[in-house]
Short mmCIF file of all heavy atoms in Angstrom, two decimals:
data_model
loop_
_atom_site.label_atom_id
_atom_site.label_comp_id
_atom_site.label_asym_id
_atom_site.label_seq_id
_atom_site.Cartn_x
_atom_site.Cartn_y
_atom_site.Cartn_z
N TYR T 447 109.40 108.21 70.98
CA TYR T 447 108.84 108.57 72.27
C TYR T 447 107.32 108.33 72.20
O TYR T 447 106.65 108.67 71.26
CB TYR T 447 109.09 110.09 72.60
CG TYR T 447 110.56 110.40 72.68
CD1 TYR T 447 111.30 110.74 71.58
CD2 TYR T 447 111.22 110.39 73.94
CE1 TYR T 447 112.66 111.03 71.66
CE2 TYR T 447 112.53 110.70 74.04
CZ TYR T 447 113.28 111.01 72.89
OH TYR T 447 114.62 111.29 72.99
N ALA T 448 106.80 107.70 73.24
CA ALA T 448 105.40 107.36 73.30
C ALA T 448 104.79 107.87 74.57
O ALA T 448 105.42 107.85 75.66
CB ALA T 448 105.20 105.85 73.22
N ARG T 449 103.51 108.37 74.47
CA ARG T 449 102.86 108.93 75.64
C ARG T 449 101.36 108.75 75.47
O ARG T 449 100.81 108.88 74.38
CB ARG T 449 103.20 110.38 75.81
CG ARG T 449 102.69 111.02 77.10
CD ARG T 449 103.10 112.45 77.17
NE ARG T 449 102.65 113.10 78.41
CZ ARG T 449 102.32 114.37 78.51
NH1 ARG T 449 102.40 115.16 77.43
NH2 ARG T 449 101.91 114.86 79.67
N ASN T 450 100.69 108.47 76.56
CA ASN T 450 99.24 108.29 76.59
C ASN T 450 98.58 109.61 76.96
O ASN T 450 98.87 110.19 78.01
CB ASN T 450 98.84 107.19 77.56
CG ASN T 450 97.33 107.00 77.71
OD1 ASN T 450 96.74 107.40 78.68
ND2 ASN T 450 96.75 106.42 76.65
N GLY T 451 97.65 110.09 76.09
CA GLY T 451 96.83 111.25 76.42
C GLY T 451 97.43 112.57 75.96
O GLY T 451 96.67 113.54 75.91
N GLY T 452 98.70 112.67 75.70
CA GLY T 452 99.31 113.95 75.34
C GLY T 452 100.51 113.73 74.44
O GLY T 452 101.02 112.61 74.30
N LEU T 453 100.98 114.86 73.85
CA LEU T 453 102.17 114.75 72.97
C LEU T 453 103.44 114.52 73.80
O LEU T 453 103.63 115.13 74.84
CB LEU T 453 102.32 116.02 72.16
CG LEU T 453 101.21 116.32 71.12
CD1 LEU T 453 101.50 117.64 70.47
CD2 LEU T 453 101.13 115.19 70.11
N PRO T 454 104.29 113.62 73.34
CA PRO T 454 105.56 113.38 74.07
C PRO T 454 106.61 114.42 73.69
O PRO T 454 106.50 115.09 72.66
CB PRO T 454 105.95 111.98 73.61
CG PRO T 454 105.39 111.88 72.23
CD PRO T 454 104.11 112.67 72.22
N SER T 455 107.62 114.55 74.51
CA SER T 455 108.72 115.44 74.25
C SER T 455 109.95 114.83 74.90
O SER T 455 109.93 113.72 75.46
CB SER T 455 108.44 116.83 74.82
OG SER T 455 108.32 116.79 76.24
N LEU T 456 111.06 115.55 74.86
CA LEU T 456 112.31 115.02 75.43
C LEU T 456 112.23 114.89 76.95
O LEU T 456 112.99 114.11 77.54
CB LEU T 456 113.49 115.94 75.04
CG LEU T 456 113.89 115.92 73.56
CD1 LEU T 456 115.01 116.93 73.31
CD2 LEU T 456 114.31 114.53 73.13
N ILE T 457 111.37 115.66 77.58
CA ILE T 457 111.28 115.63 79.04
C ILE T 457 109.95 115.07 79.54
O ILE T 457 109.73 114.99 80.74
CB ILE T 457 111.52 117.04 79.62
CG1 ILE T 457 110.47 118.00 79.10
CG2 ILE T 457 112.94 117.52 79.32
CD1 ILE T 457 110.54 119.39 79.71
N ASN T 458 109.03 114.73 78.63
CA ASN T 458 107.71 114.32 79.02
C ASN T 458 107.29 113.15 78.14
O ASN T 458 106.87 113.33 77.01
CB ASN T 458 106.71 115.50 78.90
CG ASN T 458 105.55 115.32 79.83
OD1 ASN T 458 105.34 114.28 80.46
ND2 ASN T 458 104.77 116.37 79.96
N TRP T 459 107.42 111.96 78.65
CA TRP T 459 107.10 110.75 77.90
C TRP T 459 106.75 109.64 78.89
O TRP T 459 107.08 109.66 80.07
CB TRP T 459 108.28 110.30 77.02
CG TRP T 459 109.63 110.44 77.66
CD1 TRP T 459 110.50 111.45 77.48
CD2 TRP T 459 110.21 109.56 78.61
NE1 TRP T 459 111.64 111.27 78.24
CE2 TRP T 459 111.48 110.13 78.92
CE3 TRP T 459 109.83 108.38 79.24
CZ2 TRP T 459 112.36 109.50 79.86
CZ3 TRP T 459 110.68 107.75 80.14
CH2 TRP T 459 111.93 108.33 80.45
N ASP T 460 106.08 108.61 78.34
CA ASP T 460 105.81 107.41 79.15
C ASP T 460 106.86 106.33 78.84
O ASP T 460 107.30 105.63 79.74
CB ASP T 460 104.41 106.88 78.88
CG ASP T 460 103.33 107.78 79.37
OD1 ASP T 460 103.62 108.59 80.28
OD2 ASP T 460 102.20 107.74 78.87
N TYR T 461 107.20 106.20 77.56
CA TYR T 461 108.20 105.21 77.11
C TYR T 461 109.01 105.85 76.01
O TYR T 461 108.52 106.70 75.25
CB TYR T 461 107.54 103.91 76.63
CG TYR T 461 106.56 103.31 77.59
CD1 TYR T 461 105.19 103.52 77.47
CD2 TYR T 461 106.98 102.52 78.65
CE1 TYR T 461 104.27 102.99 78.38
CE2 TYR T 461 106.12 101.97 79.58
CZ TYR T 461 104.75 102.21 79.42
OH TYR T 461 103.87 101.67 80.34
N TYR T 462 110.26 105.41 75.86
CA TYR T 462 111.10 106.00 74.82
C TYR T 462 112.14 104.95 74.38
O TYR T 462 112.43 103.99 75.09
CB TYR T 462 111.79 107.24 75.31
CG TYR T 462 112.98 106.98 76.19
CD1 TYR T 462 114.30 107.00 75.72
CD2 TYR T 462 112.84 106.76 77.58
CE1 TYR T 462 115.40 106.74 76.54
CE2 TYR T 462 113.90 106.52 78.41
CZ TYR T 462 115.18 106.49 77.87
OH TYR T 462 116.23 106.27 78.70
N TYR T 463 112.67 105.18 73.18
CA TYR T 463 113.77 104.39 72.65
C TYR T 463 114.72 105.32 71.91
O TYR T 463 114.30 106.01 70.97
CB TYR T 463 113.28 103.26 71.72
CG TYR T 463 114.42 102.54 71.03
CD1 TYR T 463 115.05 101.46 71.65
CD2 TYR T 463 114.89 102.94 69.77
CE1 TYR T 463 116.07 100.79 71.03
CE2 TYR T 463 115.94 102.27 69.18
CZ TYR T 463 116.53 101.21 69.80
OH TYR T 463 117.59 100.52 69.23
N VAL T 464 115.98 105.36 72.34
CA VAL T 464 117.01 106.13 71.65
C VAL T 464 117.95 105.23 70.90
O VAL T 464 118.22 105.41 69.73
CB VAL T 464 117.79 107.01 72.69
CG1 VAL T 464 118.95 107.74 72.00
CG2 VAL T 464 116.85 108.04 73.31
N ASN T 465 118.48 104.21 71.58
CA ASN T 465 119.31 103.19 70.97
C ASN T 465 119.27 101.94 71.87
O ASN T 465 118.49 101.91 72.82
CB ASN T 465 120.75 103.70 70.76
CG ASN T 465 121.35 104.29 72.03
OD1 ASN T 465 121.32 103.68 73.10
ND2 ASN T 465 121.87 105.52 71.90
N LYS T 466 120.11 100.98 71.55
CA LYS T 466 120.07 99.71 72.27
C LYS T 466 120.43 99.89 73.74
O LYS T 466 120.01 99.07 74.59
CB LYS T 466 121.01 98.71 71.60
CG LYS T 466 120.53 98.27 70.23
CD LYS T 466 121.47 97.17 69.69
CE LYS T 466 122.86 97.75 69.44
NZ LYS T 466 123.75 96.68 68.84
#
Side-chain angles (χ1 to χ4, degrees):
Y447 298 85
R449 189 179 180 212
N450 177 254
L453 293 178
S455 64
L456 291 176
I457 60 174
N458 206 350
W459 40 261
D460 293 337
Y461 307 98
Y462 77 97
Y463 173 86
V464 174
N465 51 50
K466 292 185 294 184

